[in-house]
Amino acid sequence: MKKKILSLTLALSMVFGLTACGGSKTEAPAEKPAEGVEAPAESGFDTEYTWSFSTTYASAAVVVQMYQKFAELANEYTDGKVTINVYPDGTVASEDDALAQVSSGELEFCGTGTAPVYTYSNENQWLIAPFLITDKETYYNVYNSDYWQNIRASWASEHNVLDLCGPFYRGMRTLVSTEEVRSAADLKGLKLRMNSNAMWNAAWQALGCTTVTIPLGELYTSIQTGVVASCENPISESGNLNIPEVAKYVVPTNHVVECAGIFMSNSLFTSLPQNYQDAIRKAGEDAMTECAPLIEKEEADWTETYQNAGAEVVKDLDLDSIKAASQEFWKSKFASDWTGISYDDAMALIAECSK
């Protein structure tokens, strides 16, 4: 019995001795939250993802800054679990190929403008018809209307292309010219550089213009040498091509609202836990909100650049005369190609969305 007591005494002495010398570490009991205060919840982001985002927009463009901000916020909002690598300048794929790869599931994201409209909804191309919608607010309201919400939902359900956050405004298409244009009458015979969009070419031809398809890289010399007298682009695009050096008039036709979007593989999105879905969508929305003022400043700066170079910004443009002259073209397209909605119903929707 004495031996047992002695052994116990020695053991206790060793424990206290070690504790006093710091020879062992005793974990402090976990602190309990104060009464009425909930313990912090775990984030719930426990799976890592790495995705690719392709766009043909140039690295320096504001829209690419928005895409990069989206990637940054997606990483932040998921506690570093989502990494999105943005590839601008068409380094991964062309615009149409990137959209097709998102549709097939080969690519997670692409950044594009109206490609889904003319690829999947040709019968509703009126959304981007020249002079039909000429202000950003009306465009946004139409795009977010029930009619267009259903069309966008069909891109996801039928083509696996999810429009994640809606439109991001990147500028109005504006006419820049070496010849004076103040009304529809001044468009007769105007030589206009155009891209390869067949519907846009037809719309300007219906107004009396002679359209010439010319690569953007040749635009400056084409205007300088008189091959064409004008071009229609977002003002930042023509500005970056040095057109202020040769243009005499900036004509605020605002004939097409240029927007870009974040398009994601719908099957990927729906496979994610709800907290990931919410975080990714919020990242896109917040990126668009944060970068929107950069577009407005960019447009204002380029307008000033044109003026400083000697161009006149036309203040008395009779836009109504151009819209009136475009009506026959619109009606013919609604009768033949834009069959998703009647002309009258489309006009009523636009009128309602402009209020």
Side-chain angles (χ1 to χ4, degrees):
M1 182 68 178
K2 290 182 179 179
K3 289 182 178 180
K4 289 183 178 179
I5 293 174
L6 180 60
S7 298
L8 179 59
T9 302
L10 288 170
L12 289 172
S13 299
M14 291 176 67
V15 168
F16 288 125
L18 287 169
T19 302
C21 296
S24 71
K25 183 176 181 181
T26 303
E27 296 291 337
E31 291 187 14
K32 294 181 180 180
E35 187 176 348
V37 178
E38 293 184 2
E42 294 184 5
S43 70
F45 297 107
D46 50 12
T47 303
E48 294 187 357
Y49 298 94
T50 300
W51 298 323
S52 294
F53 189 124
S54 173
T55 182
T56 57
Y57 293 127
S59 300
V62 171
V63 66
V64 172
Q65 295 179 44
M66 183 272 288
Y67 291 149
Q68 291 166 337
K69 174 58 68 172
F70 163 61
E72 175 188 323
L73 294 179
N75 183 264
E76 177 185 334
Y77 294 170
T78 59
D79 295 338
K81 293 300 191 293
V82 166
T83 299
I84 301 174
N85 297 310
V86 178
Y87 300 99
D89 303 308
T91 54
V92 169
S94 68
E95 185 175 39
D96 292 344
D97 286 347
L99 186 66
Q101 289 175 24
V102 169
S103 180
S104 68
E106 299 173 63
L107 181 66
E108 292 85 11
F109 292 91
C110 73
T112 183
T114 56
V117 177
Y118 63 72
T119 302
Y120 305 130
S121 304
N122 186 58
E123 69 280 6
N124 283 292
Q125 270 204 75
W126 56 270
L127 179 73
I128 55 174
F131 299 103
L132 193 55
I133 300 176
T134 54
D135 68 276
K136 178 179 69 174
E137 290 72 21
T138 299
Y139 181 95
Y140 272 42
N141 291 338
V142 170
Y143 196 78
N144 291 316
S145 67
D146 289 343
Y147 182 81
W148 270 95
Q149 291 277 18
N150 289 332
I151 293 171
R152 292 159 60 190
S154 74
W155 298 343
S157 62
E158 298 174 17
H159 304 286
N160 193 43
V161 174
L162 173 67
D163 184 351
L164 187 65
C165 305
F168 175 74
Y169 173 73
R170 71 179 194 92
M172 303 297 298
R173 294 192 79 88
T174 297
L175 185 69
V176 174
S177 179
T178 60
E179 298 178 8
E180 185 176 6
V181 175
R182 299 185 186 277
S183 68
D186 297 325
L187 294 173
K188 303 291 185 182
L190 181 70
K191 291 183 179 179
L192 173 65
R193 178 269 168 189
M194 286 295 300
N195 61 17
S196 60
N197 186 306
M199 185 268 284
W200 285 356
N201 274 268
W204 285 98
Q205 290 166 8
L207 291 169
C209 294
T210 300
T211 62
V212 184
T213 302
I214 297 172
L216 272 178
E218 300 173 17
L219 176 57
Y220 180 88
T221 55
S222 296
I223 292 180
Q224 188 181 45
T225 58
V227 174
V228 292
S230 58
C231 61
E232 56 81 50
N233 315 76
I235 195 167
S236 60
E237 187 171 78
S238 60
N240 280 316
L241 293 169
N242 298 319
I243 305 305
E245 296 179 4
V246 291
K248 295 180 180 179
Y249 300 94
V250 175
V251 188
T253 48
N254 297 344
H255 51 276
V256 173
V257 182
E258 281 280 3
C259 288
I262 299 171
F263 296 95
M264 181 178 182
S265 165
N266 187 60
S267 59
L268 170 61
F269 183 81
T270 56
S271 73
L272 297 173
Q274 187 64 49
N275 59 332
Y276 280 85
Q277 293 183 13
D278 294 343
I280 291 165
R281 196 183 292 276
K282 177 174 169 53
E285 292 169 348
D286 288 354
M288 288 183 175
T289 299
E290 183 172 332
C291 293
L294 300 178
I295 292 287
E296 296 172 7
K297 183 179 184 305
E298 183 180 54
E299 286 188 302
D301 288 348
W302 276 114
T303 298
E304 184 178 356
T305 297
Y306 269 99
Q307 289 176 306
N308 290 340
E312 174 190 348
V313 177
V314 176
K315 303 292 187 182
D316 56 348
L317 175 67
D318 184 1
L319 186 59
D320 288 339
S321 71
I322 302 176
K323 286 190 169 189
S326 299
Q327 286 185 4
E328 286 306 313
F329 172 77
W330 299 338
K331 289 178 180 179
S332 69
K333 295 297 285 185
F334 274 102
S336 59
D337 299 325
W338 303 339
T339 55
I341 189 173
S342 71
Y343 172 80
D344 290 340
D345 287 345
M347 294 302 106
L349 176 60
I350 293 170
E352 178 64 26
C353 289
S354 65
K355 294 179 181 178

